[in-house]
Structures are given as C-alpha cells and as structure tokens.
C-alpha cells in the first residue's frame, strides 16, 4: 500500500510500504477515506520534533473497516468509523475515567512500528476501545464526511481546551491561536454557552472563520498591545477563561496575562520553545487555574458526534485545501508557509 513517511526535515514522501494486516485478534484493518495534516505534524516537518528516517506520519483519519480480528465485537467489514488520534484499550482504569490518552497499552498513530493516518490503510489496535461507528450514509456526503474527520482531533481538542478554560453559559473567553484547533476552540466555547468570545489572530481568512464559528471580537495585536486590547474589551479585568492553542512561551504568557483574576487557562497547544517557563508567583497571587494537555478525544466523540450529524456545529471550514496522496508533500509545504490552514487528504 502507499503511505506518507518522513525522512528528514522538509522531506515528506509517499512510498510503497507493507500492507496493513490484522496482527492481533483485537485489530481491524481500516481503509482510509479521509485524513489530514495537523499543525503538530509541522514540528516534525521542520525538524523540531525527532523522527526516524522512513517513519510513518499522520494521526487524523476515518474510513471503512476492511477486516476485523476474531475478538473484535463492535465492528465488522463495511462499517464506517472515525479514529481518535490515540488508540486505547477501553478497559484500563484511565480509559474508565475518560483519560484515554494515558492508557498504558495505548499509542499514537505514526509512532515507530505503527501505521500513520496519511496512507491508504491503517492497522487499528484495540478496535473496540478505539473506534467510533459513524452512519453509513455519511460516506456519500462529502461535506459531512469532512466535518466528521474533525472529530479525530481538532474538534475534540478545541472542546478539551474550552473545558480547561472553564467555559460556561454567559462567560467571556479569549482564544489564543488562529489555527484549526484555536478555531475549533471558538466553536466549542460557543457550543458551551460563552456570551463573548475574543479571538486573537491577524490573518483575515482565519478570523473570518472565527467570526463564523462564534467569535464576537477579534484582536490582531500581539504582546503588550494584545493585553491592552483585551483589557479594554473587558472593563480592565480580562476574560473568565482563555483557550491557549499555540504552545509557545509567548502564547502562554499572553494567555496568563489576559485572563482575569480567578480565571482559567485551558492549554492544548503542543509545547515547544518554552525554555524559561511561566511565572508561578503571578498565577498564585491571581488565583489562576491552568488545565489542559493532550486531549482524550475518544471520550468526547460520543458527545460531539450528534451535533456534527445534525448540523448544530460544522467544523468543515477549517479544511481549506484538498489533496490526494501524491499531493501530501505539497500540503505540508502549504501549511508550513501558512498558505493553507488545514489540508484535507483524500487517498
């Protein structure tokens, strides 16, 4: 089969690799219908996150079950399913608590020895604990299928950030980061009842999507100017919550600066370049809560799925460029150069 592999910084290739096969009785083999490139994939692409030459890449996908192992109870050939970006056994204590990303037998797609999502097929370990079934009719609805793909990562990650930020009806929320996760954070905050949502971003195409998703205000400034702008919009207090969807030291500092005393920062940006840390004294003095991390999206999919299916929320606009497998290297380049927001892959 064909799949995307990474050889070095800026060296993404689509190559012939061994076919995905059932190796354990709890596995399924899934034929990929839709996949995409994540902003976090760019850290490997830029050489800032270590990968072995020839390692698979990609962790967001949905597709059709081709073959199921003998112990798989919930799925059979022909089922349309979505995969969260981490597989999990569904039976351990962490899975029972909803923290599927800490499953001792879990793992990330594209890790050494596993298939990546940016290919023709994927072997899915612990299928019963990992996959979520989708309505078969969605396979013939291109827009809906694209919206459902967001359940594999960015929509659930935005929701995780909104929960970490303590979003509740009537609250005021700021969103730091105008990538796909930040935009889905805007959508999640709106869904959870935020009355005012301030999106920080300076790219008009992206802030237009933020407004469509529910942002009431846009702040294009950065650093001290961003702090001043948010304070002006909030009577000098700051926001009840902040969604941090970038992961740099500067973005975290901005998040802490613009949250009001007693507020919460929900952080989901993959950390990079945060060498000197954050000021715990300031957080202590101002009673600021910091909560977030790797989003257990498998736990959130059943809650978010009905709203995607009935059109209450539609995250599909975050995908602004579509490519086939041969176009994946160019898709990475487009996202790295910020000429694309999020690239959809149709194998």
């Amino acid at each position: 089969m064909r799949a995307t592999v990474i050889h070095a910084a800026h060296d993404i290739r689509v190559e012939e690799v061994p076919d995905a096969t059932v190796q354990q009785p709890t596995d399924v083999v899934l034929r990929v219908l839709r996949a995409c490139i994540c902003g976090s994939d760019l850290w490997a692409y830029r050489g800032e996150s270590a990968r072995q030459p020839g390692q698979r890449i990609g962790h967001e996908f949905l597709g059709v079950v081709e073959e199921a192992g003998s112990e798989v109870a919930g799925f059979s050939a022909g089922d349309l399913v979505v995969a969260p970006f981490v597989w999990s056994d569904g039976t351990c204590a962490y899975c029972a608590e909803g923290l599927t990303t800490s499953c001792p037998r879990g793992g990330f797609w594209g890790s050494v020895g596993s298939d990546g999502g940016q290919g023709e097929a994927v072997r899915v370990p612990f299928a019963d604990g990992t996959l979520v079934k989708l309505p078969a009719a969605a396979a013939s609805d291109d827009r809906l299928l694209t919206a459902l793909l967001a359940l594999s990562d960015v929509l659930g990650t935005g929701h995780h950030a909104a929960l970490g930020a303590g979003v509740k009806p009537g609250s005021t929320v700021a969103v730091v980061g105008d990538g796909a996760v930040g935009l889905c954070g805007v959508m999640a905050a709106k869904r959870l009842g935020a009355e005012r949502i301030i999106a920080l971003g300076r790219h008009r195409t992206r802030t237009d999507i933020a407004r469509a998703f529910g942002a009431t205000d846009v702040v294009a400034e950065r650093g001290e100017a961003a702090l001043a702008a948010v304070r002006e919009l909030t009577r000098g207090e700051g926001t009840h919550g902040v969604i941090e969807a970038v992961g740099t030291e500067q973005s975290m500092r901005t998040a802490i600066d613009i949250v009001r005393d007693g507020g919460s920062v929900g952080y989901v940006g993959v950390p990079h370049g945060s060498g000197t840390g954050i000021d715990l004294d300031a957080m202590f003095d101002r009673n600021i809560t910091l909560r977030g991390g790797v989003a257990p999206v498998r736990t959130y999919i059943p809650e978010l799925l009905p709203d995607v299916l009935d059109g209450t929320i539609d995250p599909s606009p975050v995908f602004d460029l579509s490519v086939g497998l041969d176009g994946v290297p160019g898709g990475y380049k487009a996202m790295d150069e910020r000429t694309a927001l999020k690239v959809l892959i149709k194998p």
Side-chain angles (χ1 to χ4, degrees):
M1 70 178 195
R2 300 172 73 223
T4 305
V5 298
I6 182 168
H7 284 271
H10 302 283
D11 187 0
I12 295 285
R13 308 177 196 175
V14 178
E15 299 180 341
E16 293 287 336
V17 300
D19 287 340
T21 59
V22 169
Q23 298 179 18
Q24 300 293 331
T26 53
D27 292 348
V28 305
V29 171
L30 185 152
R31 175 170 53 87
V32 177
L33 293 183
R34 295 288 186 278
C36 55
I37 301 172
C38 182
S40 64
D41 291 331
L42 296 181
W43 301 118
Y45 179 73
R46 294 165 180 160
E48 298 181 36
S49 178
R51 294 291 188 276
Q52 294 184 5
Q55 188 173 336
R56 307 286 181 81
I57 195 167
H59 55 262
E60 300 165 276
F61 60 95
L62 58 75
V64 175
V65 174
E66 292 279 276
E67 182 183 0
S70 60
E71 294 182 13
V72 175
F75 304 97
S76 56
D79 286 342
L80 180 67
V81 297
V82 63
F85 65 83
V86 172
W87 72 78
S88 52
D89 64 18
T91 61
C92 72
Y94 285 114
C95 287
E97 294 166 6
L99 194 60
T100 51
T101 50
S102 290
C103 177
R105 296 198 290 176
F108 289 79
W109 311 112
S111 55
V112 176
S114 73
D115 292 324
Q118 296 165 12
E120 292 180 323
V122 176
R123 178 182 77 90
V124 178
F126 303 110
D128 285 328
T130 300
L131 300 174
V132 176
K133 191 177 295 186
L134 303 172
S140 59
D141 186 331
D142 189 66
R143 184 211 57 79
L144 178 58
L145 204 60
T146 300
L148 291 167
L149 176 62
L151 290 166
S152 65
D153 184 348
V154 289
L155 184 58
T157 298
H159 179 70
H160 187 59
L163 294 178
V167 177
K168 59 184 178 182
S171 59
T172 296
V173 185
V175 180
V176 179
D178 60 2
V181 170
L183 294 173
C184 285
V186 171
M187 178 173 283
K190 176 70 172 177
R191 179 179 174 275
L192 292 173
E195 182 176 326
R196 193 170 197 180
I197 303 171
I198 304 169
L200 278 69
R202 57 177 55 189
H203 301 275
R204 179 65 181 271
T205 301
R206 300 181 180 206
T207 56
D208 283 350
I209 296 174
R211 289 190 184 277
F213 282 3
T216 55
D217 304 273
V218 170
V219 169
E221 293 83 0
R222 293 184 179 179
E224 292 297 323
L227 170 60
V230 173
R231 295 284 180 178
E232 183 177 352
L233 289 169
T234 56
R235 303 181 305 278
E237 294 181 354
T239 61
H240 298 104
V242 178
I243 290 171
E244 191 285 313
V246 181
T248 63
E249 182 175 325
Q250 179 59 57
S251 63
M252 185 62 82
R253 288 185 182 277
T254 296
I256 292 170
D257 285 345
I258 63 178
V259 74
R260 76 193 297 272
D261 288 12
S264 301
V265 174
Y267 70 104
V268 292
V270 178
H272 50 276
S274 51
T276 60
I278 55 178
D279 189 346
L280 288 178
D281 286 340
M283 293 180 64
F284 182 85
D285 291 343
R286 297 175 55 211
N287 280 281
I288 294 172
T289 297
L290 184 64
R291 185 176 182 181
V294 185
V297 300
R298 176 59 182 84
T299 298
Y300 301 139
I301 291 174
E303 176 185 349
L304 298 171
L305 176 58
D307 283 357
V308 176
L309 290 174
D310 68 15
T312 299
I313 54 176
D314 177 14
S316 64
V318 302
F319 300 96
D320 60 345
L321 177 62
S322 178
V323 300
L325 271 182
D326 289 335
V328 170
Y332 272 84
K333 186 173 186 292
M335 284 183 61
D336 184 45
E337 295 176 349
R338 294 182 71 85
T339 58
L341 169 59
K342 190 167 181 65
V343 175
L344 177 70
I345 302 168
K346 298 180 179 181

